[in-house]
């Protein structure tokens, strides 16, 4: 109950004189920096880690070790993203939509936290980056309900359509696998299907 109540009230902090300096709705202001990292920890430990073990361990190459006793995901970041029909810098919401993109994460959770009366702001999913279906529209979540969360691969191209009324806020949690996937695979080369990794700026040649 306390998580649900906190999430419902979180987005409104940015509209108050006391907290508008936090610019909630704009990265890189994340929950850790404002003392709410415990929310990110709970979502990461209670949902992201166990769900990812069943849904994404093989497709996202997280399960690359015979020893499965350790965590598949070992890093997280939580932040609030905001979109508005009337973006203004004073409340930290400076955009009304988001173009198709991939996340710098293995698995992402996106939870709509308000406002209740916004319109638009659909989440559009395209093909996985790094596959032949990359860029092809394959699903739309129409006006996500407040409190509903989506979980998807970070390389799953996605976008947010125009907010046509009110403000739309989302709590986004990124997670990574530094000990498994990123320890053996360059995420840049993986996303771009680069076979010759010597040309990547992340390679040994440049570091």
């Amino acid at each position: 109950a306390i998580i649900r109540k906190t999430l419902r009230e979180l987005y409104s902090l940015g509209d108050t004189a006391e907290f508008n300096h936090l610019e909630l709705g704009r990265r890189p202001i994340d929950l850790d920096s404002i003392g709410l990292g415990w929310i990110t920890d709970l979502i990461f430990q209670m949902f992201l880690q166990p769900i990812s073990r069943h849904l994404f361990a093989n497709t996202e190459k997280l399960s690359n070790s015979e020893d499965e006793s350790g965590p598949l995901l070992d890093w997280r970041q939580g932040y609030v993203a905001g979109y508005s029909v009337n973006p203004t810098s004073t409340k930290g919401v400076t955009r009304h939509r988001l173009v198709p993109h991939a996340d710098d994460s293995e698995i992402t959770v996106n939870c709509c936290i308000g406002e209740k009366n916004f319109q638009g702001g659909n989440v559009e999913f395209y093909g996985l980056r790094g596959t032949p279906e990359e860029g092809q529209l394959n699903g739309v979540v129409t006006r996500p309900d407040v409190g509903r969360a989506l979980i998807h691969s970070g390389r799953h191209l996605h976008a947010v359509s125009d907010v046509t009324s009110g403000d739309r806020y989302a709590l986004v949690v990124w997670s990574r696998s530094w000990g498994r996937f990123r320890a053996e695979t360059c995420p840049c080369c993986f996303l771009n299907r680069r076979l010759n990794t010597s040309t990547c700026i992340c390679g040994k040649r440049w570091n």
Side-chain angles (χ1 to χ4, degrees), residues 156-178:
H156 203 149
L157 285 163
H158 53 289
V160 177
S161 67
D162 291 295
V163 171
T164 57
S165 176
D167 299 327
R168 175 189 183 283
Y169 291 89
L171 171 62
V172 180
V173 178
W174 283 6
S175 62
R176 294 176 184 163
S177 175
W178 287 105

Side-chain angles (χ1 to χ4, degrees), residues 96-167:
H96 54 85
R97 66 189 300 266
L98 189 58
V99 299
H101 65 285
D103 297 336
D104 188 11
S105 68
E106 272 66 86
I107 309 298
T108 296
V109 163
N110 184 322
C111 180
C112 182
I113 58 175
E115 298 173 344
K116 290 184 177 180
N117 298 320
F118 77 89
Q119 295 296 324
N122 302 333
V123 182
E124 303 168 346
F125 285 99
Y126 299 84
L128 286 174
R129 189 174 178 184
T131 69
E133 293 74 32
E134 178 178 330
Q136 298 179 15
L137 181 65
N138 57 26
V140 178
V141 179
T142 304
R143 193 199 177 280
D145 294 332
V146 175
R148 174 173 293 182
L150 308 173
I151 183 169
H152 61 85
S153 162
R155 66 189 179 106
H156 203 149
L157 285 163
H158 53 289
V160 177
S161 67
D162 291 295
V163 171
T164 57
S165 176
D167 299 327

Side-chain angles (χ1 to χ4, degrees), residues 5-202:
K5 182 177 185 295
T6 302
L7 291 178
R8 286 176 177 173
E9 296 178 352
L10 180 59
Y11 75 88
S12 62
L13 289 178
D15 293 331
T16 64
E18 182 180 0
F19 295 104
N20 61 11
H21 67 284
L22 296 176
E23 296 188 320
L24 286 172
R26 296 183 65 185
R27 293 187 63 208
I29 302 299
D30 61 30
L31 299 193
D32 287 329
S33 65
I34 58 176
L36 294 175
W38 61 271
I39 295 178
T40 307
D41 287 333
L42 285 175
I43 293 174
F44 180 65
Q45 295 174 12
M46 294 179 65
F47 302 103
L48 258 170
Q49 286 183 324
I51 291 176
S52 297
R53 183 175 292 276
H54 293 286
L55 295 183
F56 302 106
N58 294 322
T59 60
E60 298 312 302
K61 297 188 177 181
L62 301 179
S63 182
N64 57 11
S65 172
E66 294 181 358
D67 178 15
E68 299 298 341
S69 60
L72 299 182
L73 302 166
D74 49 25
W75 178 93
R76 88 295 178 277
Q77 181 193 34
Y79 63 91
V80 176
Y83 312 90
S84 176
V85 67
N86 183 29
T88 62
S89 59
T90 56
K91 61 181 178 181
V93 183
T94 58
R95 56 190 175 186
H96 54 85
R97 66 189 300 266
L98 189 58
V99 299
H101 65 285
D103 297 336
D104 188 11
S105 68
E106 272 66 86
I107 309 298
T108 296
V109 163
N110 184 322
C111 180
C112 182
I113 58 175
E115 298 173 344
K116 290 184 177 180
N117 298 320
F118 77 89
Q119 295 296 324
N122 302 333
V123 182
E124 303 168 346
F125 285 99
Y126 299 84
L128 286 174
R129 189 174 178 184
T131 69
E133 293 74 32
E134 178 178 330
Q136 298 179 15
L137 181 65
N138 57 26
V140 178
V141 179
T142 304
R143 193 199 177 280
D145 294 332
V146 175
R148 174 173 293 182
L150 308 173
I151 183 169
H152 61 85
S153 162
R155 66 189 179 106
H156 203 149
L157 285 163
H158 53 289
V160 177
S161 67
D162 291 295
V163 171
T164 57
S165 176
D167 299 327
R168 175 189 183 283
Y169 291 89
L171 171 62
V172 180
V173 178
W174 283 6
S175 62
R176 294 176 184 163
S177 175
W178 287 105
R180 293 178 183 267
F181 173 68
R182 297 191 183 219
E184 300 182 3
T185 307
C186 170
C188 174
C189 295
F190 177 63
L191 288 176
N192 292 286
R193 304 189 297 276
R194 187 183 295 117
L195 300 179
N196 181 8
T197 59
S198 64
T199 61
C200 179
I201 60 171
C202 300

